[in-house]
Amino acid sequence: MTRTNRPMDPAARRLLTRRSILAASAGAAAALGAVGANVVGTDKPAIAHGQLRAEPLIPERNRGIILYSVRDRISAAPDDSGVPYGFERVLARIAELGYQEVEFAGYTQSTEILGRQITPAEIRKILDDNGLAANGAHASINPATFEQQMDIAETLGMKNIGTGSDPTNSAYTADWDTAADVWNELGRQARRRGLRLYTHNHDTAYSFLLDAGPLDVNGKPTRSSGIRRLEYFFGKTDPRYVFFELDIYWAYVARFKHRKYIDRYGRERTDLFDPILNVVSQSKRFPLFHAKDGNRNSALANGYEMVPLGEGDINFQQFFETIGDADFRHANWEQDTAPGGVTNPGQSLDFAALSYTNMSELTIYRR
């Protein structure tokens, strides 16, 4: 059974206007500019006693990393590079860098390390030994294996279980309706075990549905009402059972790529996607984020090129300050392109160090 037209969170309703978002962002920027603060950087503003106090924008306990970013070193066999390899050594290094949370992207390492595959219980001990907490996982979410995935999540002590794939790759509402029914049921099962079920977006999740206009030879709509796929899914899933992890980089790619659609009358329409509004409109459904950065490059198909956090053009200061609720949000650094291959085996962990430093320097100033 699907659910639609639920009342919006009152806090979200107060914020849900483009004007209020822009005003909040502008106000934040003005306040930071007045005290000389950078968006991300090492320069600190001069703060007169009693005027402003600095607080971390992302609390220390909520700073995480998805292990996909360092997958080359998790999966590496023992070598003489001097770079950590496997779960035990890589997680120890991640903890040294300051991260307190990890999101999993698989539970295997080279069998050359132990002479067999590592177990979830052994991974949990490594987490505990290093003061790390698991905040989620990109796993395969389907009814046939969901119980097994929840068993692993429980062993690792995580509160969220999710996937890096869209609930469906379809552009049609009927397929999203079917996916919503499945996810509502799985989310219900997860909640009974103290877990939150979540899905992670790429840019296509925020492309437009084909839900209007003339039908094709297969009886499928060929035009759009202007509703985006994942935003439709918001309304079809129960907010008690289904949650979301916003990949901030892919959300800004969607803003670049998915801005035009053909309406039911054949007219081209433009609608600019707003990642901040997207979160605010469903605020309590976004506990997790991929803090992934990029440099704008309109010559590329995606409009951005991935770089370490804080080295690109995405305004994380504005983003996290405007969406607020810092205690609820968990930010996991990710960079798909972090591994340096055989020529630079230490690159992914070097990028992890740089990204943690930049994440920790995101600061909010309060009176």
Side-chain angles (χ1 to χ4, degrees):
M1 177 178 177
T2 57
R3 297 164 62 95
T4 58
N5 301 320
R6 294 183 201 83
M8 185 180 297
D9 184 316
R13 185 184 296 111
R14 289 195 298 272
L15 290 170
L16 185 56
T17 66
R18 190 171 300 273
R19 178 178 297 175
S20 67
I21 289 295
L22 292 175
S25 299
L32 290 166
V35 295
N38 294 335
V39 172
V40 176
T42 57
D43 297 332
K44 299 293 190 297
I47 303 175
H49 179 70
Q51 290 186 343
L52 296 174
R53 68 180 188 277
E55 298 176 2
L57 192 54
I58 300 171
E60 241 184 304
R61 63 186 175 278
N62 290 354
R63 298 175 198 158
I65 175 175
I66 180 168
L67 297 182
Y68 184 72
S69 301
V70 293
R71 62 193 180 278
D72 59 325
R73 300 315 303 172
I74 293 288
S75 63
D79 59 34
D80 57 4
S81 67
V83 182
Y85 57 85
F87 280 110
E88 183 174 13
R89 293 164 178 80
V90 172
L91 290 180
R93 177 60 180 149
I94 284 169
E96 287 175 358
L97 295 176
Y99 292 101
Q100 294 196 18
E101 297 189 327
V102 297
E103 183 180 25
F104 284 86
Y107 307 113
T108 60
Q109 63 180 14
S110 171
T111 55
E112 293 182 39
I113 297 173
L114 296 175
R116 57 173 172 80
Q117 193 49 256
I118 195 170
T119 67
E122 288 170 328
I123 297 173
R124 173 62 186 271
K125 184 177 186 308
I126 295 169
L127 291 172
D128 292 345
D129 288 346
N130 288 281
L132 294 169
N135 67 19
H138 281 196
S140 176
I141 301 298
N142 63 72
T145 60
F146 194 55
E147 196 72 32
Q148 177 187 11
Q149 291 297 333
M150 289 194 292
D151 289 344
I152 294 172
E154 188 174 80
T155 297
L156 292 172
M158 65 182 63
K159 298 301 183 186
N160 307 285
I161 181 171
T163 178
S165 303
D166 290 335
T168 174
N169 293 320
S170 173
Y172 304 109
T173 54
D175 295 316
W176 283 91
D177 289 342
T178 299
D181 288 341
V182 172
W183 276 67
N184 280 332
E185 174 54 31
L186 295 181
R188 191 176 291 110
Q189 293 176 28
R191 183 173 178 177
R192 285 199 294 264
R193 293 186 60 169
L195 296 165
R196 287 184 295 213
L197 174 64
Y198 70 94
T199 182
H200 160 284
N201 66 281
H202 293 88
D203 68 280
T204 306
Y206 288 111
S207 63
F208 298 100
L209 284 170
L210 294 177
D211 60 351
L215 305 181
D216 63 18
V217 294
N218 297 313
K220 301 284 191 181
T222 58
R223 296 174 185 168
S224 182
S225 67
I227 298 174
R228 297 176 188 272
R229 298 181 189 188
L230 205 57
E231 291 178 336
Y232 178 79
F233 193 66
F234 290 161
K236 288 292 182 176
T237 50
D238 193 317
R240 295 173 299 176
Y241 305 136
V242 180
F243 296 84
F244 301 89
E245 175 181 64
L246 188 79
D247 187 302
I248 300 170
Y249 171 90
W250 288 116
Y252 279 94
V253 170
R255 181 178 175 87
F256 172 81
K257 287 176 65 174
H258 305 298
R259 58 177 61 200
K260 294 184 183 296
Y261 65 93
I262 304 300
D263 73 10
R264 68 178 64 249
Y265 304 108
R267 298 174 298 200
E268 184 180 87
R269 300 287 191 179
T270 299
D271 179 73
L272 192 62
F273 178 64
D274 191 323
I276 294 176
L277 269 177
N278 173 73
V279 173
V280 169
S281 67
Q282 302 286 333
S283 186
K284 285 300 184 182
R285 302 186 76 177
F286 281 92
L288 297 171
F289 295 83
H290 273 184
K292 182 190 300 180
D293 208 347
N295 273 323
R296 280 297 307 271
N297 186 343
S298 58
L300 299 176
N302 288 330
Y304 288 86
E305 181 178 9
M306 291 182 197
V307 296
L309 178 64
E311 303 302 302
D313 298 327
I314 295 176
N315 192 331
F316 289 95
Q317 176 75 43
Q318 180 193 59
F319 184 90
F320 281 107
E321 187 167 348
T322 307
I323 65 170
D325 209 352
D327 289 334
F328 180 66
R329 318 287 188 196
H330 297 256
N332 293 321
W333 169 67
E334 183 181 39
Q335 185 180 341
D336 304 10
T337 58
V342 295
T343 60
N344 191 357
Q347 178 173 282
S348 60
L349 285 169
D350 288 344
F351 283 177
L354 175 60
S355 296
Y356 182 83
T357 296
N358 287 342
M359 185 188 292
S360 68
E361 290 176 352
L362 288 167
T363 304
I364 186 169
Y365 297 91
R366 302 185 189 278
R367 293 192 180 279

